[in-house]
């Protein structure tokens, strides 16, 4: 098991990657990373990460992050409802245009989760429930864990995996669910669970996308961004390992 406390997204990735590099086959069962400021980055690390990804013809950090939360669309939307409306209209194009999105995106799954014959916006439900309980003066903090296949009862738990449909062992969705918690200091926190995670291809972008999703929920509910905790059942620091090790050495002194 690997457990990491990190100040921001960049230091989280460096810490987890460094620990995985010392593990047999660069894999570990049950990794836990807690990021204090999940919307902050170290610029030099981000630039180096994008350079590494581009050299391998892999998706950029922002491209990966946008599969979890479309920051650009959100920034020009009045509220969550408008964001969802715009994204739903774009969703067929996004799935057709980009081959890696053919099964869907995480944000698409979160806002269009199959619930019987309807599609359920789980993030909207999270925002609404938090708002109701905050305004009523009785927020429940962390009472919202339910069965993954029952989104209408999920409250502030947002499942991604669909039993019976998502049967590919190592493909979308690796992110299983997102669970939001409140504290008494008016912060909202996010716990995200992955069944598996590829740290080179998607790890950095996953952290950033989740941080942006958390910031969106905080902004829509008038709360402050808390910490992000990401749990991976299996984490893998995959190839190319030589440039990854160069990057880890270059930023060994980053706090």
């Amino acid at each position: 098991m690997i457990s990491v406390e990190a100040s921001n997204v960049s230091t989280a990735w460096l810490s987890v990657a460094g620990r995985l590099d010392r593990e047999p086959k660069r894999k570990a069962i049950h990794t836990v990373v807690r990021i204090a400021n999940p919307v902050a980055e170290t610029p030099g690390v981000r630039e180096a990460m994008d350079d590494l990804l581009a050299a391998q013809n892999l998706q950029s950090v922002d491209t990966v992050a946008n599969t979890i939360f479309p920051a650009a669309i959100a920034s020009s939307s009045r509220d969550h409802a408008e964001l969802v409306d715009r994204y739903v209209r774009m969703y067929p194009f996004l799935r057709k245009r980009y081959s890696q999105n053919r099964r869907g995106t995480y944000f698409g799954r979160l806002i269009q989760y199959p619930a019987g014959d309807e599609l359920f916006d789980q993030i909207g439900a999270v925002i609404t429930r938090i708002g109701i309980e905050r305004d009523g003066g009785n927020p429940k903090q962390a009472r919202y864990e339910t069965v993954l296949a029952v989104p209408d009862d999920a409250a502030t738990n947002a499942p991604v995996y669909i039993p019976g449909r998502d049967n590919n062992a190592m493909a979308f969705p690796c992110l299983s669910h997102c669970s939001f918690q409140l504290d008494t200091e008016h912060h909202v926190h996010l716990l995200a669970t992955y069944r598996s995670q590829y740290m080179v291809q998607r790890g950095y972008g996953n952290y950033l996308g989740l941080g942006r999703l958390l910031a969106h929920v905080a902004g829509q509910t008038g709360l402050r961004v808390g910490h992000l905790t990401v749990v991976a059942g299996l984490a893998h620091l995959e190839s190319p390992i030589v440039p990854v090790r160069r990057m880890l050495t270059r930023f060994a002194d980053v706090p």
Side-chain angles (χ1 to χ4, degrees):
M1 176 177 175
I2 291 175
S3 180
V4 167
E5 295 272 347
S7 59
N8 65 29
V9 170
S10 302
T11 57
W13 187 88
L14 290 170
S15 297
V16 175
R19 293 283 297 276
L20 285 170
D21 192 33
R22 299 192 292 273
E23 293 288 323
K25 298 184 179 181
R26 301 188 302 278
K27 295 181 180 180
I29 299 293
H30 297 169
T31 66
V32 181
V33 57
R34 185 175 186 268
I35 307 173
N37 188 346
V39 292
E41 301 177 78
T42 303
V45 177
R46 167 63 179 277
E47 182 180 358
M49 189 74 234
D50 272 327
D51 288 345
L52 187 156
L53 293 170
Q56 304 301 318
N57 198 30
L58 295 171
Q59 292 180 326
S60 70
V61 168
D62 265 330
T63 299
V64 173
N66 283 338
T67 66
I68 297 175
F69 185 74
I73 303 173
S75 67
S76 58
S77 298
R78 290 188 304 272
D79 53 22
H80 179 73
E82 182 179 344
L83 167 60
V84 170
D85 180 68
R86 293 173 64 192
Y87 194 86
V88 167
R89 284 188 277 116
M90 295 176 59
Y91 199 34
F93 167 78
L94 294 174
R95 296 182 66 172
K96 184 176 180 180
R97 174 66 177 81
Y98 302 101
S99 60
Q100 292 190 335
N101 291 343
R102 65 185 182 278
R103 293 177 180 269
T105 67
Y106 291 114
F107 189 70
R109 178 66 64 86
L110 287 168
I111 63 171
Q112 288 195 310
Y113 192 88
D117 295 330
E118 299 181 356
L119 297 175
F120 183 73
D121 177 9
Q122 300 175 87
I123 300 303
V126 167
I127 292 167
T128 298
R129 181 61 60 87
I130 290 176
I132 290 172
E133 296 187 346
R134 180 205 59 212
D135 294 342
N138 190 30
K140 300 302 189 297
Q141 292 188 267
R143 66 171 177 86
Y144 306 110
E145 300 296 334
T146 65
V147 178
L148 293 185
V150 190
D152 359 24
D153 293 335
T156 55
N157 182 67
V160 177
Y161 177 80
I162 300 176
R165 178 186 298 183
D166 298 320
N167 298 318
N168 192 316
M170 298 302 289
F172 177 88
C174 291
L175 173 62
S176 298
H177 78 282
C178 297
S179 179
F180 296 83
Q181 293 79 36
L182 313 181
D183 66 21
T184 56
E185 302 299 322
H186 306 292
H187 294 90
V188 57
H189 308 276
L190 171 57
L191 170 66
T193 304
Y194 284 82
R195 54 195 176 100
S196 64
Q197 190 169 51
Y198 290 102
M199 290 305 300
V200 176
Q201 296 178 47
R202 308 188 71 82
Y204 194 114
N206 285 342
Y207 292 161
L208 185 61
L210 289 166
R212 290 172 174 174
L213 176 63
L214 173 57
H216 174 68
V217 171
Q220 294 292 303
T221 55
L223 298 170
R224 286 179 278 186
V225 177
H227 58 253
L228 165 66
T229 301
V230 181
V231 179
L234 171 66
H236 181 200
L237 186 68
E238 73 277 24
S239 298
I241 196 59
V242 172
V244 168
R245 286 173 175 164
R246 288 176 184 155
M247 184 173 166
L248 293 174
T249 299
R250 176 182 172 186
F251 295 106
D253 296 328
V254 171

